[in-house]
Amino acid sequence: MEKELRLYDSIIKIKFDEGIIRVYSNAQLWQYVNGKAKERLTQLAEAIKNEYAALFSKPLQISTKSLILEILVHVYCDYLGLAFNRYVRITGIQKLVKKLLLRAEVVDCGETAKDGNRWVWDLLTPFNGAFFAILPDNLNATNLKKY
């Protein structure tokens, strides 16, 4: 079931299925995290977990930190891919990066039983601060995300 969460002036598109949520790394998400990624992604993760519990009458079995990290890394990879393609004008490589961007644009976050790499995100949560440190503060100023 697709839902739109209105957070501040942004509408974050999320698809909810039992055991899995999908967050769309679109211009609205970038606008939402712009300059306040740690605070805003924490709010987003909590809103997602609350909505999931309301929809399925049970909690989403993903820690808040793990959910934040997975969304953050996908947004960062989306940013890197778009920046790369802006500056590297080699057609074959740009095509490969575009394929990778399609994977980065939809953040599939599943519970352990449905997501084979949940353990990776759980393992990396102690390093959340480092991932926040490398994300540019002003994503919108890059003018990379158009949609």
Side-chain angles (χ1 to χ4, degrees):
M1 162 185 312
E2 283 196 13
K3 301 279 274 184
E4 293 180 339
L5 298 180
R6 183 175 296 277
L7 300 167
Y8 293 94
D9 292 334
S10 302
I11 299 171
I12 312 302
K13 183 177 162 189
I14 302 167
K15 184 176 181 189
F16 292 88
D17 291 308
E18 195 159 341
I20 300 174
I21 59 101
R22 290 173 180 86
V23 180
Y24 296 87
S25 180
N26 57 21
Q28 288 287 306
L29 180 63
W30 281 37
Q31 174 186 318
Y32 173 69
V33 301
N34 196 44
K36 299 178 182 180
K38 187 173 185 176
E39 170 191 329
R40 297 282 175 90
L41 287 176
T42 300
Q43 291 170 336
L44 176 60
E46 290 170 358
I48 288 168
K49 290 177 85 169
N50 289 337
E51 187 68 27
Y52 183 92
L55 289 169
F56 296 102
S57 301
K58 63 181 181 179
L60 179 65
Q61 297 298 312
I62 300 173
S63 76
T64 301
K65 286 184 177 182
S66 186
L67 185 56
I68 290 168
L69 181 62
E70 190 166 1
I71 296 168
L72 173 64
V73 169
H74 274 262
V75 169
Y76 186 66
C77 288
D78 197 10
Y79 160 77
L80 285 177
L82 290 169
F84 182 88
N85 273 356
R86 175 182 278 175
Y87 299 109
V88 177
R89 301 289 185 182
I90 302 170
T91 305
I93 294 174
Q94 283 185 323
K95 285 181 183 179
L96 174 64
V97 171
K98 283 181 183 179
K99 287 180 184 180
L100 295 173
L101 282 169
L102 291 175
R103 294 195 61 151
E105 288 179 340
V106 179
V107 188
D108 291 321
C109 304
E111 296 175 342
T112 302
K114 296 193 175 198
D115 187 349
N117 65 359
R118 173 61 35 219
W119 67 273
V120 173
W121 303 111
D122 292 344
L123 183 70
L124 292 174
T125 58
F127 306 103
N128 277 16
F131 286 102
F132 279 112
I134 62 173
L135 185 71
D137 282 337
N138 195 349
L139 285 172
N140 285 345
T142 65
N143 205 23
L144 291 168
K145 198 67 164 178
K146 307 288 186 192
Y147 53 94

